[in-house]
Amino acid sequence: MIQSETELRPYQLEAIDFTLSNPHEGRSIIYFEPGMGKTATGITAARRLNPNWRRLVVAPGYGMQVWPETIEAMGRTESVLVVEGTRAQRMRALAEADNYQWVVINTDMVRDQGYFQRLINLDWGTIIIDESHRFRGRNATRSQRMLELSKRAPTLIELTGTPIRNQPDDLFMQLRIAYPHDKNFSSYWRWLQKHCLLDQTPWGPKVVGVLDRDEWQEHTSQYMFTRTEEQVGLQLPEVIATQVPVQISKDLRTKYNTLKKELWLDGVPFASTAAALSTLRTLVCISPEKLSALAELIEDNAFQKVLIFCWHKDVAAVVAEHIQADFVCTGAQSATYRQDAARQFQLTDEGKRCIIVANIEAFSEANDLSLADAIIFMERDYIYGSNYQAFRRVHRTGRTLPTRVYDIYAKGTIEERIVKRVSLESVAIRDLLTEELAS
């Protein structure tokens, strides 16, 4: 959704006022659901903070080109530098950053010591972090360096469609970066004990929710502006969700049960056995029964434009080969390739076939795939936020047809447990992030 500043909707203007108002003083986290115009809101807020400041945009690689396109489309002539290419090319580009009003970099560049030294020595009036949930890891190098950059910038805006990807403490480091001088975020453990419900495990305390939902929303609303389509009256099409359980063969079931026993999964806490779970999932996900169910689903419904998500890159490759997909989008392909795939998908004429098989992590943000006939999950991510972002590539403002979502999973296996777990988490997390607006 590309808009001019005069076309901004009331909720976008409210977000801008939230950013500009005291006591925020030009700092904010803006949570809009995907497709609600975060980019246009961020650009306008930055311009209104100070039209002459230099701005740094930190965005995922596959979302970088959205920024120069939107800045140009919003009707002002401003110089934009997109820092990409080889390491030498990026270093040369950063050396010229003083000559541009907007500088757009890849999220991962913040982690690199050489790039970071160039960035920290430049004067930034406003920093915009696109998809700020990528900085949720409080001990991650890129999060710590983003915090240092934030301390040196007068203003900062975080934009996200999924501020909480799994548990409430995902929000802490985003708050810390947005408000580095606020004493409420000086201690993770003090903040955790004040706001979060903890479960004591043999490996230490584990966050399992919030202590008080009303107190949580009052706390976060001081720092994060939140709006959903439902809250602002945007109409989205109907969602038709269908589960497709598949009965795997007797031989494969025997292999699965034997492997499960060998891996000691029974009775072991879910989160402590990631490698074992991955091994089990891979075994059943590329089973002939599931691959056949996928092909039949596409053929029986005469789907032409289909987006298929997998969690494992290797599984995505097998699935793509089986159905002869037009594009395979995993971390192995460049951001440019993935952007071109999304663009070709949208431009494919009605009635013509175009199928993308993608890894959830590599293709779940920034791309508009709203013309898809269906989304099919061959695997789900363990984390609700990643699945939700993937789903919102298709289910977004402007879509007119019902959004058809399918989960193909092997009955009686870890896949079935994951599908049910993610469904329960989706309700809990959305409840934390939304509240009734005053009428």
Side-chain angles (χ1 to χ4, degrees):
M1 180 173 68
I2 296 180
Q3 310 158 283
S4 69
E5 290 188 26
T6 59
E7 296 173 325
L8 294 179
R9 292 170 171 164
Y11 66 85
Q12 293 174 289
L13 296 175
E14 289 176 35
I16 293 167
D17 289 342
F18 180 88
T19 303
L20 272 59
S21 66
N22 287 321
H24 301 290
E25 298 179 341
R27 289 181 174 268
S28 68
I29 301 174
I30 298 174
Y31 160 48
F32 288 165
E33 291 186 302
M36 289 180 64
K38 291 189 298 292
T39 306
T41 303
I43 290 169
T44 305
R47 286 171 171 169
R48 294 187 183 180
L49 283 168
N50 190 314
N52 300 315
W53 273 345
R54 182 182 304 106
R55 301 121 188 172
L56 173 67
V57 177
V58 184
Y62 43 83
M64 291 171 65
Q65 289 300 329
V66 171
W67 285 88
E69 292 170 3
T70 307
I71 289 167
E72 181 180 0
M74 289 186 69
R76 291 194 192 180
T77 302
E78 294 176 319
S79 55
V80 183
L81 171 65
V82 179
V83 182
E84 55 189 352
T86 66
R87 181 178 181 80
Q89 289 171 330
R90 293 182 182 189
M91 293 297 277
R92 285 197 296 270
L94 288 175
E96 299 294 325
D98 277 334
N99 301 321
Y100 292 85
Q101 293 164 286
W102 294 85
V103 178
V104 184
I105 67 168
N106 188 319
T107 300
D108 289 335
M109 287 180 62
V110 178
R111 181 170 50 196
D112 183 279
Q113 178 65 21
Y115 298 141
F116 176 72
Q117 286 301 321
R118 290 284 178 93
L119 293 167
I120 203 76
N121 289 323
L122 290 165
D123 292 325
W124 306 108
T126 300
I127 295 176
I128 299 178
I129 306 176
D130 192 8
E131 307 295 1
S132 62
H133 51 265
R134 288 180 165 265
F135 292 91
R136 66 189 181 276
R138 61 189 177 90
N139 295 320
T141 299
R142 68 179 174 190
S143 297
Q144 292 298 323
R145 287 181 172 163
M146 193 70 248
L147 176 61
E148 291 305 309
L149 283 170
S150 173
K151 290 176 179 178
R152 296 184 179 224
T155 61
L156 181 140
I157 303 167
E158 295 184 13
L159 307 173
T160 178
T162 48
I164 297 176
R165 305 281 279 183
N166 196 28
Q167 289 295 347
D169 62 326
D170 286 348
L171 193 57
F172 174 80
M173 198 60 192
Q174 296 172 73
L175 290 164
R176 178 91 173 97
I177 291 171
Y179 304 96
H181 306 298
D182 192 314
K183 293 182 180 179
N184 285 315
F185 311 119
S186 60
S187 168
Y188 169 73
W189 293 106
R190 187 164 58 244
W191 181 88
L192 204 67
Q193 291 168 354
K194 184 176 181 180
H195 300 290
C196 296
L197 182 64
L198 303 177
D199 182 22
Q200 296 300 324
T201 74
W203 299 274
K206 176 183 177 182
V207 179
V208 294
V210 298
L211 288 172
D212 184 293
R213 178 180 179 273
D214 292 338
E215 185 279 332
W216 168 267
Q217 291 188 336
E218 181 180 354
H219 167 63
T220 56
S221 65
Q222 300 173 57
Y223 303 99
M224 182 169 68
F225 183 88
T226 299
R227 291 293 183 272
T228 66
E229 287 108 339
E230 184 178 0
Q231 288 173 332
V232 301
L234 294 178
Q235 296 299 313
L236 286 173
E238 178 187 8
V239 177
I240 302 174
T242 305
Q243 294 188 2
V244 184
V246 174
Q247 187 67 53
I248 57 177
S249 69
K250 185 177 180 180
D251 286 346
L252 184 57
R253 175 71 62 183
T254 299
K255 290 180 182 178
Y256 176 86
N257 289 334
T258 301
L259 181 60
K260 180 180 177 181
K261 186 176 181 180
E262 291 174 354
L263 294 170
W264 293 88
L265 271 181
D266 288 327
V268 178
F270 188 92
S272 68
T273 55
L277 291 171
S278 183
T279 302
L280 283 173
R281 293 181 70 182
T282 303
L283 177 66
V284 295
C285 191
I286 56 176
S287 66
E289 294 81 11
K290 280 194 66 175
L291 293 174
S292 295
L294 172 63
E296 290 171 8
L297 178 63
I298 295 172
E299 182 178 353
D300 292 348
N301 290 277
F303 291 145
Q304 297 298 316
K305 289 187 176 184
V306 184
L307 180 59
I308 301 169
F309 280 112
C310 304
W311 190 66
H312 295 87
K313 296 176 184 178
D314 293 344
V315 170
V318 173
V319 170
E321 182 178 1
H322 181 76
I323 61 169
Q324 298 182 321
D326 298 274
F327 299 97
V328 184
C329 296
T330 68
Q333 293 81 27
S334 68
T336 300
Y337 172 89
R338 284 174 272 168
Q339 290 164 0
D340 288 343
R343 190 175 294 111
Q344 288 299 318
F345 185 90
Q346 290 290 91
L347 293 175
T348 298
D349 293 336
E350 185 177 352
K352 290 188 176 181
R353 179 185 186 274
C354 188
I355 297 178
I356 295 178
V357 178
N359 162 259
I360 292 175
E361 185 66 22
F363 207 63
S364 63
E365 297 170 354
N367 297 305
D368 179 354
L369 300 160
S370 56
L371 297 181
D373 294 328
I375 315 165
I376 302 174
F377 285 93
M378 287 293 281
E379 298 179 284
R380 288 278 188 170
D381 197 320
Y382 297 110
I383 298 174
Y384 156 73
S386 299
N387 296 303
Y388 180 69
Q389 283 275 18
F391 163 68
R392 292 308 300 263
R393 296 311 96 216
V394 176
H395 189 68
R396 53 198 296 124
T397 305
R399 181 177 172 87
T400 56
L401 297 174
T403 303
R404 299 182 181 275
V405 186
Y406 297 87
D407 278 285
I408 302 178
Y409 61 87
K411 289 178 64 175
T413 71
I414 188 63
E415 289 192 325
E416 185 171 7
R417 288 172 57 194
I418 291 171
V419 169
K420 291 180 178 179
R421 169 183 165 140
V422 168
S423 178
L424 291 172
E425 284 182 348
S426 69
V427 176
I429 291 175
R430 284 180 62 79
D431 187 52
L432 284 181
L433 291 174
T434 59
E435 59 183 334
E436 292 295 327
L437 297 177
S439 57

